[in-house]
Amino acid sequence: MKCELCHNKEAETAIQIVKDGREEELYVCNDCANGERIKRQKKSQRTRKTDGPGQGVSMPVPRIGGPGENKPPPIIEALMDAFSGIVTDMASTGKRGSQSGEPAKKKKAYLTANSSAVGTAVKFGDALHLEGLFLIGELESARRALDALELQLEGFAADGISDAGHIYRVKYSGGQNGPKALRVFASLAEQEVNARVRLFTETPRVLGDAMCRALAVLKNCRLLSPGELFDLLSPLRIAAVENMLDGMTLKQMDKLLMSVDLSPRGENVPTEERDRLDAERADEMNKRFEDVVLNERAEERFL
């Protein structure tokens, strides 16, 4: 029987290939079998398509701001404007409480990412996805601004990674401050959108680098903890939002993110068992992301 690929040499072994979305078994010579193995390996390692428009395009990375520039990040001013008047209200509330002999009570509550205040691109469940602010370096400024306004960004921590995925729930002092706090919440979401616009227009290579690094690790890692997986998916969620991925939709991305168990892993779990679970997770993600690549639209925009 002749090789079903080259049709020249005698068939020596059987291999599995995917053709038109279906797995087929072919009888091939050893040379063709080795060629298919190398082709699969290259495919599993790449993060971008190697054909189509956009190949080889490079763009300069402009500087944001200049040396000696002391102006505070625009996000602080935007958040303070959105929160205008709440400090006065909080002070007057505290004064009324002290006059009556009762201390002002502050209860912490969560603000919910409702559809009227926050768009799908930034919303993740009842939390905010702030990867853009992190990548342009303004996330800490936003955190300090919210702290000054008695709001708190509460992230996820797992496997030694703090603020995994840069997804946050927002806490505030409840009561009559709620409506104004909600304005800040909406403003924070708006600033995240602005941060992503800046990434696309001013520093496209920064965003492209984050996406390609995440894809490369997910395709080739040998051990993968839940916290690291959650963190790696964060920049790829922006790619999914912008329809810049072949092989995965935003709905599939969010489903995968929500499936990650970030609960603390017991300290008494033996290292061998933890490594076994991380190895299984890595193998699963290697297979899941083998055919996921940044598409031509991504190439044209920022790579």
Side-chain angles (χ1 to χ4, degrees):
M1 179 180 178
K2 293 292 184 181
C3 171
E4 293 186 82
L5 288 177
C6 69
H7 306 291
N8 292 323
K9 298 181 180 180
E10 293 295 323
E12 299 170 280
T13 186
I15 63 171
Q16 300 290 329
I17 68 168
V18 177
K19 186 176 182 181
D20 298 328
R22 294 183 300 176
E23 194 172 82
E24 295 183 6
E25 184 177 71
L26 297 180
Y27 293 93
V28 300
C29 64
N30 286 334
D31 288 343
C32 286
N34 188 52
E36 285 297 311
R37 181 188 63 79
I38 294 174
K39 187 187 300 183
R40 287 196 302 273
Q41 187 178 47
K42 288 181 177 179
K43 185 177 183 181
S44 70
Q45 292 175 347
R46 66 188 172 92
T47 62
R48 292 177 283 169
K49 284 191 172 181
T50 55
D51 55 1
Q55 182 180 1
V57 175
S58 63
M59 298 181 67
V61 181
R63 294 174 61 89
I64 299 179
E69 192 173 280
N70 296 319
K71 294 174 62 177
I75 186 172
I76 294 181
E77 184 178 356
L79 293 176
M80 294 298 287
D81 287 344
F83 217 58
S84 176
I86 193 169
V87 176
T88 302
D89 288 348
M90 289 165 61
S92 62
T93 300
K95 184 179 293 186
R96 286 194 299 269
S98 62
Q99 288 175 345
S100 62
E102 297 178 0
K105 295 182 179 180
K106 296 180 180 179
K107 294 182 179 179
K108 286 291 185 180
Y110 286 107
L111 291 167
T112 301
N114 58 69
S115 58
S116 62
V118 181
T120 304
V122 178
K123 179 171 63 175
F124 181 77
D126 63 350
L128 294 177
H129 182 210
L130 304 180
E131 182 70 19
L133 286 171
F134 168 73
L135 289 175
I136 68 170
E138 290 193 358
L139 183 56
E140 286 307 310
S141 296
R143 190 194 297 273
R144 289 195 299 271
L146 265 66
D147 284 345
L149 300 171
E150 297 194 9
L151 281 87
Q152 177 185 351
L153 286 179
E154 184 178 80
F156 296 91
D159 303 305
I161 300 175
S162 59
D163 295 341
H166 303 111
I167 292 175
Y168 302 89
R169 299 177 74 189
V170 180
K171 280 181 134 179
Y172 79 111
S173 297
Q176 57 183 301
N177 295 324
K180 293 177 181 177
L182 189 58
R183 289 212 306 271
V184 175
F185 187 75
S187 179
L188 182 59
E190 182 182 356
Q191 294 308 311
E192 168 64 19
V193 173
N194 292 340
R196 296 183 189 185
V197 171
R198 288 177 61 187
L199 282 169
F200 280 111
T201 59
E202 297 179 22
T203 56
R205 192 170 287 268
V206 170
L207 181 57
D209 179 75
M211 292 176 179
C212 286
R213 284 176 186 269
L215 272 177
V217 173
L218 290 168
K219 287 170 177 285
N220 297 286
C221 60
R222 310 314 302 144
L223 293 170
L224 186 64
S225 69
E228 185 180 10
L229 171 59
F230 197 77
D231 201 53
L232 288 168
L233 292 176
S234 184
L236 294 179
R237 186 177 187 270
I238 294 182
V241 166
E242 296 295 330
N243 295 316
M244 290 183 170
L245 287 180
D246 279 351
M248 181 168 288
T249 64
L250 176 60
K251 184 177 181 180
Q252 292 170 326
M253 179 68 68
D254 281 350
K255 184 177 180 181
L256 181 55
L257 274 161
M258 290 179 179
S259 71
V260 180
D261 183 6
L262 295 177
S263 58
R265 297 198 281 182
E267 296 180 358
N268 296 325
V269 176
T271 301
E272 294 80 3
E273 174 67 9
R274 182 169 298 189
D275 287 347
R276 183 188 68 80
L277 293 174
D278 289 352
E280 289 180 355
R281 187 177 299 104
D283 291 344
E284 181 184 354
M285 290 302 109
N286 292 166
K287 184 176 181 180
R288 177 65 186 87
F289 282 88
E290 180 179 3
D291 294 326
V292 178
V293 294
L294 297 176
N295 60 25
E296 289 90 346
R297 183 166 184 265
E299 297 270 356
E300 293 170 354
R301 288 293 296 274
F302 53 79
L303 295 178

